[in-house]
């Protein structure tokens, strides 16, 4: 069998007939996914080669997207004649489908990127999540937009927005001693010639530009030299960098992707002298450090060279993410820091909402909405896992569950206890008892037995898979069922976690809800984790009826709905019957 690397290298080194090009690109993209290349890397390397051979950009992007998408495997599961459906395996790559970015210069940073694809592996920890929650920032706001089709002109967009025509700047290729100084009006006047200049700056180390103008009009003060400072931290994830930039309300003039693993934020300092510049930048760095964001800097430096957008750095794009985010001026930001940056939630006004917000999607009538936590309690060995699987089948088909009306939604069942074969046999048994088809695309599952991760890592892993399924397979998992919740605490990473067990589980559940918007459903023994029961939005409990084997009394209490009247149910293998 041909090695995936050989397939990629053969594609890049060969000339293809027009009728063979798309199939060769598809095969190379599949190989790229197998070796762990990100979607963006595949697009830069394979897509560019395909376009050089004459394939249109939209056809190239669509072909690579198809190779990376898992809907192909979903269709295979639907038509499979095997007795058990195949497990949907997701590649652990940070793939981003190629949806062109909208006009950058006219949109706010991040907030204007809602329609763009985001990094699937967000890499947010508890500190970053707390920042987002306290400052009412939706994780969806941390999308990383794709470069625009005319991304080679990003440098011109940056100069036009942040500098004056009569000012000059320096730029150069990295690791070269001499920089080129150019009058901004002269550079912008070159129009189509700008793309040629940018391509000439492509290289293994990318290109740099001075953060501030190096010359200005004669007779004016030199405030143009102290207009901006730059911050970044390549040691943390891209999503966490963006979380800090947004949650800390930084006065960003621009955000630039470095073509590596960081985003440089151009901060509006607007000082009038070197002394004021140093004072303001030191205040900026000190504030960031106090909030846990280490600044990758040697101190205030108004002549610093930073990443120039519009060029390739080792085959990856340095590009403009957006313009204008956060506080309007440095002074406004200092005031905000004084009164609002204490790590606590901000005040919301009732006048901010003219009408009551639309309720979340209903999953079970008068029981559960999307974005809530539901807890099902019953004695040990009473059949909780079967009940959860029964609920998953009910939701995925839109059928009643234990006498309760459900609304059809995709369901993800996270299995921590059974082997894959035992899980599937149980699924088929429960489905057969109800006359339902278990082999449907709306029922997805993750078999994570033995996976050694902390509860927070587990939450991020599950959220990554859910977001990936939504982007690549068009599956919107309204409910995530975890069985059993206690198994998460039994692996070595969880044991070493210093956080109390119940708090770890609550953090995991809240993180999954925050990152996906799905309802999280799980089960436990009565009084096993009392904090979970107190925290649950919906609590359904089964209590044995004295003197009546296999008879239970079902009760429900809810945060948003009236109490469920008590009713009796019977355990008839493999499910409860009301």
């Amino acid at each position: 069998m041909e090695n995936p690397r050989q397939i990629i290298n053969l594609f890049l080194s060969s000339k293809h007939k027009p009728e063979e090009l798309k199939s060769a690109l598809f095969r190379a993209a599949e190989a790229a996914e197998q070796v762990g290349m990100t979607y963006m890397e595949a697009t830069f390397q394979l897509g560019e080669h395909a376009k050089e051979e004459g394939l249109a950009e939209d056809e190239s992007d669509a072909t690579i997207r198809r190779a990376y998408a898992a809907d192909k495997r979903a269709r295979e599961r639907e038509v499979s004649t095997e007795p058990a459906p195949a497990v949907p395996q997701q590649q652990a790559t940070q793939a981003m489908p190629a949806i062109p970015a909208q006009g950058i210069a006219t949109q706010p940073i991040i907030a204007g990127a809602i329609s763009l694809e985001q990094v699937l592996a967000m890499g947010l920890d508890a500190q970053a999540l707390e920042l987002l929650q306290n400052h009412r920032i939706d994780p969806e706001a941390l999308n990383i937009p794709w470069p625009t089709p005319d991304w080679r002109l990003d440098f011109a967009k940056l100069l036009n927005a942040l500098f004056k025509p009569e000012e000059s700047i320096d730029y150069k290729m990295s690791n070269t001693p001499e920089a080129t100084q150019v009058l901004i009006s002269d550079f912008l006047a070159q129009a189509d010639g700008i793309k040629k200049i940018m391509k000439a700056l492509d290289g293994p180390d990318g290109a740099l530009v001075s953060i501030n103008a190096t010359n200005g009009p004669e007779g004016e003060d030199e405030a143009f030299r102290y207009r901006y400072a730059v911050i970044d931290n390549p040691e943390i994830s891209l999503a966490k960098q963006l979380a800090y930039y947004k949650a800390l309300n930084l006065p960003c003039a621009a955000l630039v992707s470095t073509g590596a693993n960081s985003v440089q934020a151009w901060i509006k300092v607007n000082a009038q002298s070197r002394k004021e510049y140093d004072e303001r930048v030191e205040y900026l760095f000190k504030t960031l450090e106090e909030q846990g964001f280490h600044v990758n800097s040697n101190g205030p430096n108004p002549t610093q060279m930073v990443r120039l957008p519009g060029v390739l750095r080792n085959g990856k794009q340095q590009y403009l993410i957006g313009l204008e985010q956060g506080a309007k001026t440095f002074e406004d930001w200092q005031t905000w820091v004084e009164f609002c940056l204490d790590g606590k939630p901000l005040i919301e006004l009732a006048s901010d909402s003219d009408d009551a917000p639309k309720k979340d999607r209903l999953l079970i009538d008068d029981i559960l909405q999307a974005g809530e936590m539901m807890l099902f309690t019953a004695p040990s060995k009473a059949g909780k896992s079967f009940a959860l699987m029964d609920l998953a089948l009910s939701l995925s088909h839109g059928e009643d569950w234990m006498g309760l009306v459900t609304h059809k939604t995709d369901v993800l069942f996270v299995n921590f206890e059974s082997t894959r074969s035992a899980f599937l046999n149980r699924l088929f048994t429960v489905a057969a008892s109800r006359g339902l088809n278990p082999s449907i695309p709306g029922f997805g599952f993750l078999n994570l037995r033995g996976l050694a991760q902390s509860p927070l890592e587990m939450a991020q892993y599950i959220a990554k898979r859910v977001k990936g399924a939504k982007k690549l397979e068009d599956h919107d998992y309204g409910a995530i069922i975890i069985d059993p919740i206690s198994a998460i605490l039994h692996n070595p990473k969880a044991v070493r976690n210093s956080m109390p067990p119940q708090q770890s589980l609550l953090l995991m559940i809240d993180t999954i809800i925050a990152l996906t918007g799905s309802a999280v459903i799980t089960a436990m023994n009565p009084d096993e984790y009392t904090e979970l029961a107190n925290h649950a939005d919906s609590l359904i409990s089964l209590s044995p009826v004295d003197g009546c084997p296999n008879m239970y009394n079902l009760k429900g209490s809810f945060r948003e709905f009236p109490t469920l009247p008590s009713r009796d149910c019977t355990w008839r293998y493999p499910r409860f019957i009301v």
Side-chain angles (χ1 to χ4, degrees), residues 342-375:
D342 54 8
K344 304 298 189 295
L346 300 178
I347 294 173
E348 294 189 68
L349 302 178
S351 59
D352 291 342
S353 302
D354 294 331
D355 301 300
K358 184 180 178 181
K359 288 189 175 182
D360 293 316
R361 179 161 53 124
L362 195 62
L363 301 179
I364 307 176
D365 278 359
D366 297 328
I367 303 291
L368 182 67
Q369 301 175 114
E372 293 184 340
M373 172 191 169
M374 173 175 157
L375 188 61

Side-chain angles (χ1 to χ4, degrees), residues 510-522:
D510 285 344
T511 299
I512 292 173
I513 291 173
L515 294 180
T516 66
S518 307
V520 172
I521 303 169
T522 190

Side-chain angles (χ1 to χ4, degrees), residues 465-477:
R465 289 292 181 262
V466 170
K467 286 179 173 288
K470 187 172 184 178
K471 299 298 183 184
L472 300 176
E473 296 184 325
D474 295 325
H475 284 304
D476 187 5
Y477 290 112

Side-chain angles (χ1 to χ4, degrees), residues 259-311:
N261 56 347
S262 67
V263 173
Q264 289 187 334
W266 289 46
I267 305 299
K268 292 179 282 189
V269 178
N270 293 325
Q272 299 301 309
S273 65
R274 177 60 193 263
K275 181 176 182 293
E276 185 180 36
Y277 182 88
D278 288 351
E279 290 174 350
R280 290 190 172 192
V281 174
E282 290 289 1
Y283 179 87
L284 169 69
F285 291 173
K286 179 176 179 290
T287 302
L288 290 169
E289 292 283 355
E290 288 174 349
Q291 297 301 316
F293 185 95
H294 175 66
V295 179
N296 187 25
S297 173
N298 294 321
N301 181 6
T303 62
Q304 182 179 357
M305 303 287 280
V306 298
R307 288 293 156 187
L308 183 154
V311 302

Side-chain angles (χ1 to χ4, degrees), residues 374-395:
M374 173 175 157
L375 188 61
F376 179 78
T377 68
S380 180
K381 305 301 181 182
K384 293 187 292 296
S385 293
F386 282 99
L388 290 180
M389 191 165 287
D390 189 20
L391 173 57
L393 284 165
S394 297
L395 286 167

Side-chain angles (χ1 to χ4, degrees), residues 33-106:
E33 187 187 28
Q34 291 173 27
V35 300
M37 288 174 62
T38 67
Y39 187 93
M40 185 174 285
E41 289 169 341
T43 302
F44 291 158
Q45 297 184 37
L46 306 179
E48 287 297 322
H49 182 74
K51 284 182 276 186
E52 289 174 3
E53 290 201 64
L55 190 63
E57 182 175 3
D58 57 346
E59 288 187 289
S60 172
D61 290 343
T63 301
I64 299 174
R65 181 168 65 249
R66 208 163 52 245
Y68 268 70
D71 58 350
K72 166 171 68 77
R73 293 189 291 275
R75 289 195 299 272
E76 291 171 355
R77 290 200 303 275
E78 291 180 38
V79 301
S80 174
T81 57
E82 295 295 327
V87 183
Q89 296 293 331
Q90 300 278 348
Q91 292 292 333
T93 59
Q94 297 180 1
M96 298 196 299
I99 296 179
Q102 304 300 316
I104 289 179
T106 60

Side-chain angles (χ1 to χ4, degrees), residues 230-242 244-245 258 261-265 288-289 292-297:
V230 71
I231 58 170
D232 70 344
N233 185 343
E235 297 178 0
I236 62 178
S237 70
L238 291 172
K240 188 173 179 181
Q241 290 175 59
L242 294 175
Y244 269 103
Y245 297 161
T258 65
N261 56 347
S262 67
V263 173
Q264 289 187 334
L288 290 169
E289 292 283 355
F293 185 95
H294 175 66
V295 179
N296 187 25
S297 173

